[in-house]
Structure formats: structure tokens, C-alpha cells
Amino acid sequence: MIKKALIVDDNKELLEFFEAAGNKYNFRIKHADNLETARDILNEEKFNIAFLDVNLGNECGLDLIIDLKQNNKETKIIVISSYNELEYFNK
């Protein structure tokens, strides 16, 4: 069974890291740098795991959680962020 991961992040260096890690652990990686692209990808396939960046420019990766769960309730979701203050997440 092929394991699939969706990475939603606008940081090119981080995407390269996920690509390398995915190759090492036999994951097929798809990535998007905005919510529209991520939703288009979700309309085409299901994922075992998704990594969501909180800050995508003017968008918030957390807005994709409902779409992910509608696509596949079994998808594991990991939220990533470079924010170092929890105050942002209390909004």
C-alpha cells in the first residue's frame, strides 16, 4: 500500500525537507502553497497524513481541516508553525 502525505506550506525549503523525508520513508508527497491548490488536490485523492502550516500569507492552514476530514476521516493532521507564541492559536 502506498502511503500518501499532503504538505500545505508556502516555505520552499520546508517543502524540500518533506520531499526528502517522504522519499526516505516511502511516502508519496503532494504539496500546495495555498488553500485553493490544496483543495484541488483533495478533490483528486485521499491522504494518510497532512501537514498544515498555520500561516500561509493571508490564509490559515487550519481552515483546511474540515475539508481534510470530509475527504478522509482517517487522515492524520499535524499542524506546523514557525510562531513561537501560543497567543496566536487562542484567536
Side-chain angles (χ1 to χ4, degrees):
M1 178 175 140
I2 296 175
K3 298 176 283 186
K4 296 188 284 185
L6 175 63
I7 315 302
V8 184
D9 198 305
D10 55 358
N11 180 322
K12 301 281 187 228
E13 292 175 0
L14 193 58
L15 291 174
E16 290 172 7
F17 165 79
F18 277 112
E19 287 279 347
N23 288 336
K24 181 176 180 178
Y25 294 102
N26 299 316
F27 272 84
R28 196 176 95 219
I29 305 291
K30 290 274 187 147
H31 58 81
D33 61 2
N34 61 64
L35 296 181
E36 181 180 354
T37 302
R39 287 183 176 113
D40 288 344
I41 292 170
L42 284 174
N43 285 331
E44 297 175 9
E45 57 189 299
K46 298 182 183 304
F47 294 88
N48 303 94
I49 190 165
F51 294 85
L52 306 178
D53 185 13
V54 172
N55 185 12
L56 297 167
N58 293 330
E59 300 177 306
C60 179
L62 299 176
D63 293 337
L64 196 64
I65 291 175
I66 292 172
D67 299 293
L68 280 161
K69 288 303 182 177
Q70 287 176 344
N71 173 270
N72 180 4
K73 292 180 182 178
E74 301 301 316
T75 299
K76 306 297 184 229
I77 300 171
I78 297 175
V79 176
I80 55 178
S81 176
S82 61
Y83 283 105
N84 60 2
E85 300 202 16
L86 294 177
E87 183 178 314
Y88 178 84
F89 294 100
N90 290 328
K91 291 181 180 181

